[in-house]
Amino acid sequence: MPRTAFFISDGTGITAESLGRSLLAQFENVEIRMITKPYIDTVEKARALADIIATTAMRDDEQPIIIDTIVDEAIREVIRGAIGFKVDIFSTFLKPLEQELGTHSSYSVGRTHSIGKDEAYMDRIQSVHFALDNDDGARTHQYNKADVILVGVSRCGKTPTSLYLALQFGIRAANYPLTEDDLDEDGSLKLPKALARHRHKLFGLTIDPRRLAAIRHERRPNSRYSSMDQCVQEVEQAEGLYRQMHIPYIDTTRFSVEEISTRMIAETGLSRRFSPR
């Protein structure tokens, strides 16, 4: 039977889930069913959740793993009494920090992901809007405002990477698809005019043609667009352009969007407007 892990918070649950998933990802041989429970912000909700945890323990015949970021002491007391192996993130880390810093924590609910007076929140929203407005070569006249312009063949990961860069780091990312319209007379790709003046901002994405064909097949099955020959040709042409124009690029085949983004930042030296939350 798989083990069950509960990520519990009296706020959004993002911190508990992010840290919990990172910790549990280290145990590849254990099947774990993960459940996030945000906004457990009253004793009544905590007691109801404790009952669910108890039922889960009986069903699994194993105590669940409980990872929480509960701030309210009364609610924390209820969760402490639940049946499970508990990882209390705040008590684990805040107490030693209080001793080191010589002051008490504010113990404010939702402080990490609140808006407050944080100007980074507006940067985040504006960057996401920029990524959406400049997706798939939509508004090339705005490229002077871009921090980076992702280029690559269709379905190689440009859009999700652009949005992740915006949401997590406040980086204004546009993206431009390389298509047959950009072919030169000899059949090789040429740098589109819209990109030529922004060459220093370009970053290429490539992908294994077999993976690309599988992704495209889900979108347009049994089409020329998803055929292996077409995918091989487009990827070879794109990589040839990158090498010819000295455009840095990364193979997205085996990397998550998080890895693609952070590797890109490390390679290009892009400035983050804020740290990921």
Side-chain angles (χ1 to χ4, degrees):
M1 292 292 291
R3 297 291 294 271
T4 302
F6 286 90
F7 308 134
I8 307 170
S9 174
D10 38 15
T12 63
I14 295 172
T15 300
E17 181 175 357
S18 298
L19 184 53
R21 286 182 177 275
S22 296
L23 292 172
L24 295 174
Q26 306 304 314
F27 301 92
E28 298 178 357
N29 297 325
V30 181
E31 183 181 354
I32 300 176
R33 187 167 65 104
M34 303 180 190
I35 300 173
T36 303
K37 292 290 184 179
Y39 300 112
I40 305 300
D41 50 10
T42 67
V43 170
E44 290 72 27
K45 289 181 182 179
R47 287 172 178 161
L49 179 55
D51 290 340
I52 293 173
I53 293 172
T55 301
T56 302
M58 291 180 61
R59 182 199 66 201
D60 294 352
D61 198 26
E62 290 276 8
Q63 62 176 351
I65 299 162
I66 300 172
I67 298 176
D68 79 87
T69 54
I70 299 292
V71 171
D72 185 273
E73 187 58 39
I75 298 173
R76 290 172 71 188
E77 193 61 34
V78 175
I79 298 301
R80 282 195 201 104
I83 300 171
F85 176 81
K86 301 168 190 69
V87 181
D88 184 337
I89 294 173
F90 279 174
S91 67
T92 300
F93 297 108
L94 283 184
K95 291 297 183 184
L97 278 172
E98 285 179 338
Q99 293 176 3
E100 177 64 24
L101 297 175
T103 185
H104 290 291
S105 163
S106 62
Y107 287 91
S108 299
V109 177
R111 190 165 184 82
T112 306
H113 302 282
S114 63
I115 298 176
K117 298 180 180 179
D118 192 355
E119 294 180 1
Y121 181 81
M122 292 311 300
D123 273 335
R124 186 191 306 271
I125 298 302
Q126 290 167 6
S127 297
V128 170
H129 285 168
F130 184 88
L132 292 171
D133 288 344
N134 292 275
D135 183 44
D136 222 19
R139 289 179 171 83
T140 57
H141 65 278
Q142 294 186 2
Y143 283 1
N144 61 310
K145 300 178 182 177
D147 298 319
V148 65
I149 303 169
L150 304 183
V151 293
V153 301
S154 172
R155 313 306 289 180
C156 70
K158 299 184 301 298
T159 296
T161 302
S162 297
L163 288 170
Y164 187 85
L165 287 167
L167 187 61
Q168 292 295 316
F169 305 110
I171 291 173
R172 285 164 174 70
N175 72 78
Y176 186 97
L178 299 174
T179 67
E180 291 181 333
D181 293 338
D182 301 312
L183 288 176
D184 217 334
E185 292 180 358
D186 62 358
S188 60
L189 275 177
K190 60 183 178 181
L191 192 65
K193 291 181 179 179
L195 301 179
R197 71 183 67 177
H198 305 291
R199 184 168 161 182
H200 63 289
K201 295 182 179 181
L202 302 183
F203 194 94
L205 301 184
T206 189
I207 188 172
D208 185 279
R210 290 167 295 184
R211 175 61 179 154
L212 181 61
I215 293 171
R216 288 183 173 184
H217 183 75
E218 294 179 3
R219 187 178 179 88
R220 297 182 198 168
N222 304 316
S223 64
R224 176 173 174 268
Y225 171 75
S226 63
S227 70
M228 180 60 71
D229 288 345
Q230 181 67 19
C231 292
V232 169
Q233 177 180 317
E234 289 187 32
V235 168
E236 288 180 348
Q237 289 171 337
E239 292 182 358
L241 177 67
Y242 302 154
R243 289 189 290 269
Q244 178 187 349
M245 295 295 173
H246 304 289
I247 298 170
Y249 67 96
I250 188 172
D251 187 335
T252 67
T253 308
R254 294 177 179 82
F255 291 140
S256 65
V257 67
E258 294 90 345
E259 291 174 302
I260 296 167
S261 300
T262 52
R263 284 173 181 269
M264 181 189 308
I265 290 171
E267 186 168 336
T268 62
L270 278 170
S271 297
R272 311 180 184 197
R273 286 189 171 82
F274 47 79
S275 298
R277 302 176 68 172

PDB file of all heavy atoms in Angstrom, residues 143-172:
ATOM      1  N   TYR A 143       9.677  43.801 -28.330  1.00  0.00           N
ATOM      2  CA  TYR A 143      10.875  43.057 -27.952  1.00  0.00           C
ATOM      3  C   TYR A 143      11.944  43.933 -27.310  1.00  0.00           C
ATOM      4  O   TYR A 143      12.829  43.423 -26.620  1.00  0.00           O
ATOM      5  CB  TYR A 143      11.453  42.332 -29.171  1.00  0.00           C
ATOM      6  CG  TYR A 143      10.699  41.079 -29.550  1.00  0.00           C
ATOM      7  CD1 TYR A 143       9.570  40.681 -28.832  1.00  0.00           C
ATOM      8  CD2 TYR A 143      11.094  40.305 -30.634  1.00  0.00           C
ATOM      9  CE1 TYR A 143       8.866  39.537 -29.189  1.00  0.00           C
ATOM     10  CE2 TYR A 143      10.403  39.154 -30.987  1.00  0.00           C
ATOM     11  CZ  TYR A 143       9.292  38.786 -30.264  1.00  0.00           C
ATOM     12  OH  TYR A 143       8.597  37.649 -30.608  1.00  0.00           O
ATOM     13  N   ASN A 144      11.867  45.244 -27.519  1.00  0.00           N
ATOM     14  CA  ASN A 144      12.828  46.128 -26.856  1.00  0.00           C
ATOM     15  C   ASN A 144      12.631  46.139 -25.345  1.00  0.00           C
ATOM     16  O   ASN A 144      13.538  46.504 -24.588  1.00  0.00           O
ATOM     17  CB  ASN A 144      12.701  47.549 -27.407  1.00  0.00           C
ATOM     18  CG  ASN A 144      11.320  48.150 -27.167  1.00  0.00           C
ATOM     19  OD1 ASN A 144      10.312  47.513 -27.474  1.00  0.00           O
ATOM     20  ND2 ASN A 144      11.263  49.359 -26.651  1.00  0.00           N
ATOM     21  N   LYS A 145      11.452  45.708 -24.876  1.00  0.00           N
ATOM     22  CA  LYS A 145      11.154  45.671 -23.448  1.00  0.00           C
ATOM     23  C   LYS A 145      11.445  44.297 -22.834  1.00  0.00           C
ATOM     24  O   LYS A 145      11.356  44.130 -21.619  1.00  0.00           O
ATOM     25  CB  LYS A 145       9.683  46.019 -23.201  1.00  0.00           C
ATOM     26  CG  LYS A 145       9.290  47.404 -23.690  1.00  0.00           C
ATOM     27  CD  LYS A 145       7.806  47.654 -23.462  1.00  0.00           C
ATOM     28  CE  LYS A 145       7.376  49.013 -23.999  1.00  0.00           C
ATOM     29  NZ  LYS A 145       5.913  49.230 -23.832  1.00  0.00           N
ATOM     30  N   ALA A 146      11.787  43.333 -23.678  1.00  0.00           N
ATOM     31  CA  ALA A 146      12.007  41.961 -23.194  1.00  0.00           C
ATOM     32  C   ALA A 146      13.379  41.810 -22.545  1.00  0.00           C
ATOM     33  O   ALA A 146      14.359  42.438 -22.977  1.00  0.00           O
ATOM     34  CB  ALA A 146      11.864  40.967 -24.340  1.00  0.00           C
ATOM     35  N   ASP A 147      13.438  40.984 -21.498  1.00  0.00           N
ATOM     36  CA  ASP A 147      14.722  40.612 -20.903  1.00  0.00           C
ATOM     37  C   ASP A 147      15.369  39.482 -21.687  1.00  0.00           C
ATOM     38  O   ASP A 147      16.592  39.377 -21.776  1.00  0.00           O
ATOM     39  CB  ASP A 147      14.533  40.179 -19.445  1.00  0.00           C
ATOM     40  CG  ASP A 147      13.992  41.285 -18.573  1.00  0.00           C
ATOM     41  OD1 ASP A 147      14.436  42.439 -18.717  1.00  0.00           O
ATOM     42  OD2 ASP A 147      13.098  41.010 -17.741  1.00  0.00           O
ATOM     43  N   VAL A 148      14.525  38.599 -22.237  1.00  0.00           N
ATOM     44  CA  VAL A 148      15.009  37.463 -23.013  1.00  0.00           C
ATOM     45  C   VAL A 148      13.933  37.096 -24.030  1.00  0.00           C
ATOM     46  O   VAL A 148      12.737  37.307 -23.788  1.00  0.00           O
ATOM     47  CB  VAL A 148      15.320  36.251 -22.088  1.00  0.00           C
ATOM     48  CG1 VAL A 148      14.059  35.733 -21.426  1.00  0.00           C
ATOM     49  CG2 VAL A 148      16.024  35.131 -22.857  1.00  0.00           C
ATOM     50  N   ILE A 149      14.380  36.586 -25.173  1.00  0.00           N
ATOM     51  CA  ILE A 149      13.447  36.127 -26.210  1.00  0.00           C
ATOM     52  C   ILE A 149      13.778  34.670 -26.506  1.00  0.00           C
ATOM     53  O   ILE A 149      14.874  34.358 -27.000  1.00  0.00           O
ATOM     54  CB  ILE A 149      13.582  36.967 -27.496  1.00  0.00           C
ATOM     55  CG1 ILE A 149      13.360  38.452 -27.192  1.00  0.00           C
ATOM     56  CG2 ILE A 149      12.572  36.491 -28.545  1.00  0.00           C
ATOM     57  CD1 ILE A 149      13.735  39.373 -28.342  1.00  0.00           C
ATOM     58  N   LEU A 150      12.864  33.785 -26.175  1.00  0.00           N
ATOM     59  CA  LEU A 150      13.069  32.360 -26.420  1.00  0.00           C
ATOM     60  C   LEU A 150      12.688  32.033 -27.859  1.00  0.00           C
ATOM     61  O   LEU A 150      11.644  32.477 -28.346  1.00  0.00           O
ATOM     62  CB  LEU A 150      12.207  31.522 -25.472  1.00  0.00           C
ATOM     63  CG  LEU A 150      12.392  31.777 -23.977  1.00  0.00           C
ATOM     64  CD1 LEU A 150      11.519  30.818 -23.174  1.00  0.00           C
ATOM     65  CD2 LEU A 150      13.835  31.628 -23.572  1.00  0.00           C
ATOM     66  N   VAL A 151      13.540  31.268 -28.535  1.00  0.00           N
ATOM     67  CA  VAL A 151      13.255  30.852 -29.906  1.00  0.00           C
ATOM     68  C   VAL A 151      13.343  29.339 -29.983  1.00  0.00           C
ATOM     69  O   VAL A 151      14.085  28.696 -29.233  1.00  0.00           O
ATOM     70  CB  VAL A 151      14.231  31.511 -30.908  1.00  0.00           C
ATOM     71  CG1 VAL A 151      14.004  33.012 -30.961  1.00  0.00           C
ATOM     72  CG2 VAL A 151      15.683  31.202 -30.565  1.00  0.00           C
ATOM     73  N   GLY A 152      12.590  28.776 -30.912  1.00  0.00           N
ATOM     74  CA  GLY A 152      12.600  27.327 -31.069  1.00  0.00           C
ATOM     75  C   GLY A 152      11.434  26.885 -31.922  1.00  0.00           C
ATOM     76  O   GLY A 152      10.530  27.674 -32.227  1.00  0.00           O
ATOM     77  N   VAL A 153      11.439  25.615 -32.293  1.00  0.00           N
ATOM     78  CA  VAL A 153      10.354  25.077 -33.108  1.00  0.00           C
ATOM     79  C   VAL A 153       9.089  24.956 -32.261  1.00  0.00           C
ATOM     80  O   VAL A 153       9.126  25.048 -31.031  1.00  0.00           O
ATOM     81  CB  VAL A 153      10.740  23.698 -33.688  1.00  0.00           C
ATOM     82  CG1 VAL A 153      11.987  23.811 -34.545  1.00  0.00           C
ATOM     83  CG2 VAL A 153      10.942  22.661 -32.580  1.00  0.00           C
ATOM     84  N   SER A 154       7.983  24.765 -32.922  1.00  0.00           N
ATOM     85  CA  SER A 154       6.703  24.638 -32.242  1.00  0.00           C
ATOM     86  C   SER A 154       6.683  23.448 -31.288  1.00  0.00           C
ATOM     87  O   SER A 154       7.143  22.361 -31.636  1.00  0.00           O
ATOM     88  CB  SER A 154       5.589  24.463 -33.296  1.00  0.00           C
ATOM     89  OG  SER A 154       4.355  24.159 -32.682  1.00  0.00           O
ATOM     90  N   ARG A 155       6.201  23.671 -30.066  1.00  0.00           N
ATOM     91  CA  ARG A 155       6.001  22.637 -29.036  1.00  0.00           C
ATOM     92  C   ARG A 155       7.299  22.158 -28.392  1.00  0.00           C
ATOM     93  O   ARG A 155       7.379  21.047 -27.877  1.00  0.00           O
ATOM     94  CB  ARG A 155       5.242  21.413 -29.579  1.00  0.00           C
ATOM     95  CG  ARG A 155       4.004  21.715 -30.381  1.00  0.00           C
ATOM     96  CD  ARG A 155       3.024  22.584 -29.651  1.00  0.00           C
ATOM     97  NE  ARG A 155       2.374  21.870 -28.564  1.00  0.00           N
ATOM     98  CZ  ARG A 155       1.460  22.401 -27.746  1.00  0.00           C
ATOM     99  NH1 ARG A 155       1.127  23.672 -27.887  1.00  0.00           N
ATOM    100  NH2 ARG A 155       0.915  21.682 -26.785  1.00  0.00           N
ATOM    101  N   CYS A 156       8.311  23.017 -28.335  1.00  0.00           N
ATOM    102  CA  CYS A 156       9.560  22.613 -27.674  1.00  0.00           C
ATOM    103  C   CYS A 156       9.649  23.150 -26.244  1.00  0.00           C
ATOM    104  O   CYS A 156      10.644  22.918 -25.559  1.00  0.00           O
ATOM    105  CB  CYS A 156      10.778  23.064 -28.483  1.00  0.00           C
ATOM    106  SG  CYS A 156      11.056  24.848 -28.489  1.00  0.00           S
ATOM    107  N   GLY A 157       8.622  23.882 -25.779  1.00  0.00           N
ATOM    108  CA  GLY A 157       8.600  24.332 -24.388  1.00  0.00           C
ATOM    109  C   GLY A 157       8.758  25.826 -24.197  1.00  0.00           C
ATOM    110  O   GLY A 157       8.998  26.278 -23.070  1.00  0.00           O
ATOM    111  N   LYS A 158       8.598  26.614 -25.261  1.00  0.00           N
ATOM    112  CA  LYS A 158       8.823  28.059 -25.152  1.00  0.00           C
ATOM    113  C   LYS A 158       7.798  28.745 -24.246  1.00  0.00           C
ATOM    114  O   LYS A 158       8.167  29.555 -23.381  1.00  0.00           O
ATOM    115  CB  LYS A 158       8.779  28.707 -26.544  1.00  0.00           C
ATOM    116  CG  LYS A 158       9.831  28.189 -27.511  1.00  0.00           C
ATOM    117  CD  LYS A 158       9.805  28.926 -28.828  1.00  0.00           C
ATOM    118  CE  LYS A 158       8.488  28.845 -29.545  1.00  0.00           C
ATOM    119  NZ  LYS A 158       8.086  27.468 -29.912  1.00  0.00           N
ATOM    120  N   THR A 159       6.524  28.439 -24.442  1.00  0.00           N
ATOM    121  CA  THR A 159       5.475  29.131 -23.672  1.00  0.00           C
ATOM    122  C   THR A 159       5.532  28.819 -22.177  1.00  0.00           C
ATOM    123  O   THR A 159       5.550  29.749 -21.362  1.00  0.00           O
ATOM    124  CB  THR A 159       4.080  28.794 -24.238  1.00  0.00           C
ATOM    125  OG1 THR A 159       3.989  29.295 -25.572  1.00  0.00           O
ATOM    126  CG2 THR A 159       2.981  29.435 -23.389  1.00  0.00           C
ATOM    127  N   PRO A 160       5.575  27.545 -21.761  1.00  0.00           N
ATOM    128  CA  PRO A 160       5.643  27.291 -20.313  1.00  0.00           C
ATOM    129  C   PRO A 160       6.897  27.858 -19.665  1.00  0.00           C
ATOM    130  O   PRO A 160       6.854  28.325 -18.524  1.00  0.00           O
ATOM    131  CB  PRO A 160       5.595  25.762 -20.212  1.00  0.00           C
ATOM    132  CG  PRO A 160       5.903  25.244 -21.569  1.00  0.00           C
ATOM    133  CD  PRO A 160       5.435  26.289 -22.529  1.00  0.00           C
ATOM    134  N   THR A 161       8.020  27.846 -20.400  1.00  0.00           N
ATOM    135  CA  THR A 161       9.249  28.412 -19.841  1.00  0.00           C
ATOM    136  C   THR A 161       9.115  29.925 -19.679  1.00  0.00           C
ATOM    137  O   THR A 161       9.528  30.489 -18.657  1.00  0.00           O
ATOM    138  CB  THR A 161      10.459  28.081 -20.734  1.00  0.00           C
ATOM    139  OG1 THR A 161      10.568  26.658 -20.870  1.00  0.00           O
ATOM    140  CG2 THR A 161      11.739  28.621 -20.133  1.00  0.00           C
ATOM    141  N   SER A 162       8.528  30.590 -20.662  1.00  0.00           N
ATOM    142  CA  SER A 162       8.317  32.040 -20.577  1.00  0.00           C
ATOM    143  C   SER A 162       7.456  32.392 -19.369  1.00  0.00           C
ATOM    144  O   SER A 162       7.759  33.335 -18.621  1.00  0.00           O
ATOM    145  CB  SER A 162       7.648  32.556 -21.852  1.00  0.00           C
ATOM    146  OG  SER A 162       8.467  32.364 -22.973  1.00  0.00           O
ATOM    147  N   LEU A 163       6.387  31.641 -19.176  1.00  0.00           N
ATOM    148  CA  LEU A 163       5.478  31.920 -18.059  1.00  0.00           C
ATOM    149  C   LEU A 163       6.138  31.623 -16.719  1.00  0.00           C
ATOM    150  O   LEU A 163       5.938  32.353 -15.741  1.00  0.00           O
ATOM    151  CB  LEU A 163       4.194  31.102 -18.217  1.00  0.00           C
ATOM    152  CG  LEU A 163       3.258  31.581 -19.327  1.00  0.00           C
ATOM    153  CD1 LEU A 163       2.132  30.575 -19.564  1.00  0.00           C
ATOM    154  CD2 LEU A 163       2.673  32.951 -18.978  1.00  0.00           C
ATOM    155  N   TYR A 164       6.939  30.570 -16.658  1.00  0.00           N
ATOM    156  CA  TYR A 164       7.629  30.247 -15.406  1.00  0.00           C
ATOM    157  C   TYR A 164       8.639  31.323 -15.057  1.00  0.00           C
ATOM    158  O   TYR A 164       8.747  31.748 -13.899  1.00  0.00           O
ATOM    159  CB  TYR A 164       8.318  28.885 -15.514  1.00  0.00           C
ATOM    160  CG  TYR A 164       8.904  28.420 -14.199  1.00  0.00           C
ATOM    161  CD1 TYR A 164       8.113  27.752 -13.269  1.00  0.00           C
ATOM    162  CD2 TYR A 164      10.234  28.665 -13.876  1.00  0.00           C
ATOM    163  CE1 TYR A 164       8.638  27.335 -12.057  1.00  0.00           C
ATOM    164  CE2 TYR A 164      10.762  28.259 -12.666  1.00  0.00           C
ATOM    165  CZ  TYR A 164       9.963  27.594 -11.760  1.00  0.00           C
ATOM    166  OH  TYR A 164      10.497  27.200 -10.546  1.00  0.00           O
ATOM    167  N   LEU A 165       9.398  31.790 -16.038  1.00  0.00           N
ATOM    168  CA  LEU A 165      10.358  32.861 -15.795  1.00  0.00           C
ATOM    169  C   LEU A 165       9.661  34.111 -15.266  1.00  0.00           C
ATOM    170  O   LEU A 165      10.179  34.809 -14.387  1.00  0.00           O
ATOM    171  CB  LEU A 165      11.101  33.196 -17.094  1.00  0.00           C
ATOM    172  CG  LEU A 165      12.142  32.186 -17.578  1.00  0.00           C
ATOM    173  CD1 LEU A 165      12.558  32.497 -19.015  1.00  0.00           C
ATOM    174  CD2 LEU A 165      13.363  32.157 -16.667  1.00  0.00           C
ATOM    175  N   ALA A 166       8.481  34.390 -15.806  1.00  0.00           N
ATOM    176  CA  ALA A 166       7.726  35.569 -15.372  1.00  0.00           C
ATOM    177  C   ALA A 166       7.182  35.394 -13.967  1.00  0.00           C
ATOM    178  O   ALA A 166       7.343  36.270 -13.107  1.00  0.00           O
ATOM    179  CB  ALA A 166       6.577  35.822 -16.350  1.00  0.00           C
ATOM    180  N   LEU A 167       6.565  34.257 -13.717  1.00  0.00           N
ATOM    181  CA  LEU A 167       5.889  34.039 -12.444  1.00  0.00           C
ATOM    182  C   LEU A 167       6.859  33.877 -11.290  1.00  0.00           C
ATOM    183  O   LEU A 167       6.641  34.389 -10.191  1.00  0.00           O
ATOM    184  CB  LEU A 167       4.994  32.796 -12.550  1.00  0.00           C
ATOM    185  CG  LEU A 167       4.078  32.495 -11.374  1.00  0.00           C
ATOM    186  CD1 LEU A 167       3.088  33.625 -11.146  1.00  0.00           C
ATOM    187  CD2 LEU A 167       3.331  31.189 -11.600  1.00  0.00           C
ATOM    188  N   GLN A 168       7.947  33.190 -11.529  1.00  0.00           N
ATOM    189  CA  GLN A 168       8.872  32.876 -10.447  1.00  0.00           C
ATOM    190  C   GLN A 168       9.971  33.917 -10.247  1.00  0.00           C
ATOM    191  O   GLN A 168      10.456  34.090  -9.135  1.00  0.00           O
ATOM    192  CB  GLN A 168       9.523  31.512 -10.701  1.00  0.00           C
ATOM    193  CG  GLN A 168       8.567  30.354 -10.589  1.00  0.00           C
ATOM    194  CD  GLN A 168       8.033  30.197  -9.176  1.00  0.00           C
ATOM    195  OE1 GLN A 168       8.762  30.280  -8.200  1.00  0.00           O
ATOM    196  NE2 GLN A 168       6.732  29.964  -9.045  1.00  0.00           N
ATOM    197  N   PHE A 169      10.371  34.604 -11.326  1.00  0.00           N
ATOM    198  CA  PHE A 169      11.524  35.493 -11.219  1.00  0.00           C
ATOM    199  C   PHE A 169      11.254  36.922 -11.685  1.00  0.00           C
ATOM    200  O   PHE A 169      12.123  37.779 -11.587  1.00  0.00           O
ATOM    201  CB  PHE A 169      12.704  34.927 -12.018  1.00  0.00           C
ATOM    202  CG  PHE A 169      13.081  33.526 -11.630  1.00  0.00           C
ATOM    203  CD1 PHE A 169      12.849  32.467 -12.486  1.00  0.00           C
ATOM    204  CD2 PHE A 169      13.653  33.259 -10.393  1.00  0.00           C
ATOM    205  CE1 PHE A 169      13.194  31.175 -12.137  1.00  0.00           C
ATOM    206  CE2 PHE A 169      14.002  31.957 -10.032  1.00  0.00           C
ATOM    207  CZ  PHE A 169      13.773  30.922 -10.906  1.00  0.00           C
ATOM    208  N   GLY A 170      10.070  37.181 -12.239  1.00  0.00           N
ATOM    209  CA  GLY A 170       9.762  38.516 -12.734  1.00  0.00           C
ATOM    210  C   GLY A 170      10.521  38.868 -13.991  1.00  0.00           C
ATOM    211  O   GLY A 170      10.669  40.044 -14.332  1.00  0.00           O
ATOM    212  N   ILE A 171      10.996  37.856 -14.715  1.00  0.00           N
ATOM    213  CA  ILE A 171      11.735  38.091 -15.958  1.00  0.00           C
ATOM    214  C   ILE A 171      10.742  38.246 -17.107  1.00  0.00           C
ATOM    215  O   ILE A 171       9.843  37.426 -17.288  1.00  0.00           O
ATOM    216  CB  ILE A 171      12.703  36.925 -16.236  1.00  0.00           C
ATOM    217  CG1 ILE A 171      13.835  36.938 -15.195  1.00  0.00           C
ATOM    218  CG2 ILE A 171      13.262  36.990 -17.654  1.00  0.00           C
ATOM    219  CD1 ILE A 171      14.758  35.738 -15.269  1.00  0.00           C
ATOM    220  N   ARG A 172      10.901  39.324 -17.875  1.00  0.00           N
ATOM    221  CA  ARG A 172      10.015  39.574 -19.010  1.00  0.00           C
ATOM    222  C   ARG A 172      10.511  38.770 -20.211  1.00  0.00           C
ATOM    223  O   ARG A 172      11.494  39.143 -20.858  1.00  0.00           O
ATOM    224  CB  ARG A 172       9.960  41.066 -19.304  1.00  0.00           C
ATOM    225  CG  ARG A 172       9.115  41.827 -18.283  1.00  0.00           C
ATOM    226  CD  ARG A 172       9.364  43.322 -18.320  1.00  0.00           C
ATOM    227  NE  ARG A 172       8.461  44.064 -17.445  1.00  0.00           N
ATOM    228  CZ  ARG A 172       8.477  44.063 -16.116  1.00  0.00           C
ATOM    229  NH1 ARG A 172       9.351  43.299 -15.490  1.00  0.00           N
ATOM    230  NH2 ARG A 172       7.626  44.774 -15.408  1.00  0.00           N
TER     231      ARG A 172
END
